[in-house]
């Protein structure tokens, strides 16, 4: 069975972009693939979150993933820092990736432009992400469009390591959905939807239906009053069409044919999104009443993940010439 791996940062409250760009395909993949998913708390450390918040957000992110449909009997879900293998292999990959390659990452450029303090960890972030992926002999990485460049760099890193030290890693490929891969901010449709921008253009997965409807009603469109899918010249309207299409399993161009005015398009998009979010919100309320059960499931997931990760790390260490930890 082909293996799928993906990760999400525990940075407080998931949004519609995370759900449509990534989580929904994670849920779909677990039925016919060996699925491994991870809450990447070490990645979150790159921006020095408050420790109490990081702790709460890590459990909340896992609760959200289970609520969105990740089934602990089908998927392996764990927290990245539970396995020291991730940080250890990341170091070996930092010694494999070039400074220039990391400097070209657009996410690093965006994030470092917005931060006063830029940690070395933020710069090396893609090497840790490559470590996550490569430890599990991953075939497919389901992600939104903004992670495309990181997965491509992971392939370059794997290729260089394999060339230098002999066949060690499986070559992964990204799996980016046709619709929903780039959900844009409802107020600034030129920017992707993101929680760190704290805009009223972000829709949270746990947001109340009235608030979701209000945000869609106020979504920025344009003044030509023509419903047409054209992200370059009509980003606001195209974003609504993309969200409605992705929520209902259709194509944005087919959806556009159903509308002549913006009002009904906004109302129907809000309804479709609320329909998608309602069961997740309900399940979240149930599961979050028992955080002990969530941490227990995460610990079982970590035990399963460690079996694969430890073997890959051992292979990488050995191929690179690090002597065994203990005599055999
Ligand atoms: P993160 O936590 O920012 O986002 C998690 C997933 O959500 C997708 N996503 C979006 N999709 C569509 N529209 C948007 N506006 C939007 N915003 C976010 C992301 O593409 C991602 O799939 N570096 C990663 C986490 C990571 C990872 C990994 C992913 C660490 N290790 C290994 C894959 C494999 C990140 O910060 O995602």
């Amino acid at each position: 069975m082909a293996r799928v791996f993906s990760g999400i940062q525990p940075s407080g409250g998931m949004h519609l972009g995370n759900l449509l760009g990534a989580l929904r395909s994670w849920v779909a993949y677990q039925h016919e693939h060996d699925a491994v998913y991870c809450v990447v708390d070490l990645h979150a450390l790159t921006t020095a979150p408050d420790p109490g918040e990081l702790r709460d957000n890590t459990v909340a992110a896992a609760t959200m993933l289970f609520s969105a449909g990740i089934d602990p009997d089908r998927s392996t879900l764990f927290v990245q820092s539970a396995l020291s293998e991730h940080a250890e292999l990341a170091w070996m990959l930092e010694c494999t990736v070039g400074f220039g390659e990391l400097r070209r990452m657009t996410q690093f450029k965006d994030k470092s432009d917005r931060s006063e303090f830029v940690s070395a960890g933020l710069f090396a972030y893609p090497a840790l992400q490559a470590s996550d992926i490569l430890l599990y002999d991953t075939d497919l990485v389901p992600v939104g469009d903004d992670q495309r460049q990181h997965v491509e760099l992971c392939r370059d890193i794997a290729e260089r390591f394999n060339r230098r030290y002999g066949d060690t890693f499986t070559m992964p490929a990204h799996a980016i959905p046709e619709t929903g891969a780039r959900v844009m901010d409802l107020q600034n449709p030129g920017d992707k939807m993101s929680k760190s921008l704290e805009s009223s253009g972000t829709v949270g997965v746990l947001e109340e239906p009235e608030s979701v409807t209000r945000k869609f009603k106020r979504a920025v469109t344009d003044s030509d009053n023509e419903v047409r899918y054209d992200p370059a010249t009509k980003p606001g309207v195209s974003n609504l069409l993309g969200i409605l299409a992705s929520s209902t399993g259709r194509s944005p161009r087919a959806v556009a044919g159903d509308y002549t005015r913006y009002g009904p398009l906004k109302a129907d998009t809000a309804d479709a999104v609320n329909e998608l979010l309602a069961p997740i919100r309900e399940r979240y309320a149930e599961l979050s009443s028992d955080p002990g059960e969530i941490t227990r499931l995460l610990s079982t997931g970590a035990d399963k993940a460690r079996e694969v990760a430890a073997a890959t790390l051992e292979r990488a260490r050995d191929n690179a010439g690090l002597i065994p930890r203990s005599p055999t």
Side-chain angles (χ1 to χ4, degrees), residues 5-11 15-23 26 38 40 43 80 107 111 125 128-130 132-133 141-148 150-151 180-185 191-195:
F5 178 93
S6 201
I8 186 161
Q9 288 205 51
S11 33
H15 56 79
L16 189 62
N18 298 133
L19 183 68
L20 298 181
L23 300 193
W26 295 17
C38 184
V40 294
H43 277 108
Q80 187 185 35
Q107 276 216 333
K111 284 193 187 168
Y125 181 115
L128 179 59
Q129 181 161 348
D132 300 339
I133 296 169
V141 188
V143 282
D145 190 65
D146 63 344
Q147 297 301 317
R148 180 190 297 269
H150 286 164
V151 180
R182 200 167 176 78
V183 175
M184 308 307 276
D185 186 287
D191 296 334
K192 71 172 183 185
M193 188 178 284
S194 134
K195 25 186 187 229

Side-chain angles (χ1 to χ4, degrees), residues 262-274:
Y262 294 167
L265 170 64
K266 288 179 172 181
D268 286 0
T269 307
D271 288 349
V273 167
N274 276 325

Side-chain angles (χ1 to χ4, degrees), residues 3-7 34-38 40 78 86 129 132-133 136 138-143:
R3 173 148 316 126
V4 164
F5 178 93
S6 201
D34 180 0
V36 184
Y37 301 125
C38 184
V40 294
F78 67 101
H86 287 249
Q129 181 161 348
D132 300 339
I133 296 169
Y136 298 93
T138 302
D139 299 295
L140 280 177
V141 188
V143 282

Side-chain angles (χ1 to χ4, degrees), residues 18-167:
N18 298 133
L19 183 68
L20 298 181
L23 300 193
R24 281 204 321 168
S25 41
W26 295 17
V27 172
Y29 273 117
Q30 66 185 345
H31 296 285
E32 282 171 21
H33 291 75
D34 180 0
V36 184
Y37 301 125
C38 184
V39 178
V40 294
D41 57 345
L42 295 175
H43 277 108
L45 281 184
T46 55
T47 51
D50 171 79
E53 273 178 29
L54 177 58
R55 232 169 262 133
D56 291 348
N57 287 342
T58 301
V59 178
T63 310
M64 183 72 87
L65 296 177
F66 288 128
S67 308
I70 299 299
D71 176 350
D73 292 330
R74 290 183 181 276
S75 296
T76 301
L77 176 65
F78 67 101
V79 175
Q80 187 185 35
S81 66
L83 272 69
S84 53
E85 283 82 354
H86 287 249
E88 188 174 347
L89 181 64
W91 173 254
M92 299 175 77
L93 301 182
E94 279 169 46
C95 298
T96 310
V97 69
F99 182 84
E101 286 172 311
L102 291 175
R103 205 172 38 186
R104 280 196 292 277
M105 293 294 109
T106 52
Q107 276 216 333
F108 173 70
K109 285 192 231 167
D110 288 353
K111 284 193 187 168
S112 55
D113 282 351
R114 280 190 272 125
S115 319
E116 245 167 62
F117 174 74
V118 180
S119 68
L122 187 66
F123 186 63
Y125 181 115
L128 179 59
Q129 181 161 348
S131 163
D132 300 339
I133 296 169
L134 299 177
L135 275 175
Y136 298 93
D137 297 326
T138 302
D139 299 295
L140 280 177
V141 188
V143 282
D145 190 65
D146 63 344
Q147 297 301 317
R148 180 190 297 269
Q149 201 184 25
H150 286 164
V151 180
E152 281 167 3
L153 181 60
C154 171
R155 288 171 60 88
D156 293 342
I157 294 174
E159 206 169 80
R160 187 171 303 138
F161 196 101
N162 285 350
R163 217 180 318 118
R164 228 181 236 177
Y165 300 120
D167 204 17

Side-chain angles (χ1 to χ4, degrees), residues 152-217:
E152 281 167 3
L153 181 60
C154 171
R155 288 171 60 88
D156 293 342
I157 294 174
E159 206 169 80
R160 187 171 303 138
F161 196 101
N162 285 350
R163 217 180 318 118
R164 228 181 236 177
Y165 300 120
D167 204 17
T168 309
F169 299 125
T170 300
M171 202 54 80
H174 50 62
I176 296 175
E178 255 174 56
T179 55
R182 200 167 176 78
V183 175
M184 308 307 276
D185 186 287
L186 298 183
Q187 287 301 314
N188 303 296
D191 296 334
K192 71 172 183 185
M193 188 178 284
S194 134
K195 25 186 187 229
S196 49
L197 296 179
E198 277 177 18
S199 141
S200 57
T202 293
V203 173
V205 171
L206 296 180
E207 210 165 309
E208 290 301 324
E210 300 73 32
S211 167
V212 172
T213 304
R214 207 173 323 117
K215 285 187 177 174
F216 276 105
K217 210 179 242 172

